[in-house]
Amino acid sequence: MFSKPIFETLPIALIATGILLVTFIHHPASMVSGLALVLASCYMIYRRVNEIGVSSGDQDLSPTT
């Protein structure tokens, strides 16, 4: 699921939406949902970065002599 190109930029939009919910709508439900959006987006970014880190194992950065 996370290999589709939309998941490269979707977490950024969700983080922005979560911040706007928390900032502009001062209601406990919107604050909880905004924080949930931010945390879920951070988790999506974390999974994507780990996936990239694991899949690029053959790109060794050590110098070859």
Side-chain angles (χ1 to χ4, degrees):
M1 178 176 108
F2 290 106
S3 63
K4 296 181 181 177
I6 185 69
F7 290 104
E8 296 287 331
T9 56
L10 182 65
I12 297 167
L14 290 177
I15 289 172
T17 304
I19 290 171
L20 288 174
L21 274 173
V22 170
T23 305
F24 291 126
I25 302 174
H26 298 291
H27 191 271
S30 70
M31 289 185 183
V32 169
S33 62
L35 289 175
L37 277 174
V38 170
L39 291 176
S41 300
C42 289
Y43 180 69
M44 288 172 64
I45 292 173
Y46 172 77
R47 283 192 48 182
R48 180 67 180 147
V49 168
N50 275 346
E51 181 182 309
I52 291 171
V54 170
S55 66
S56 65
D58 57 347
Q59 296 179 357
D60 190 15
L61 297 178
S62 60
T64 58
T65 56

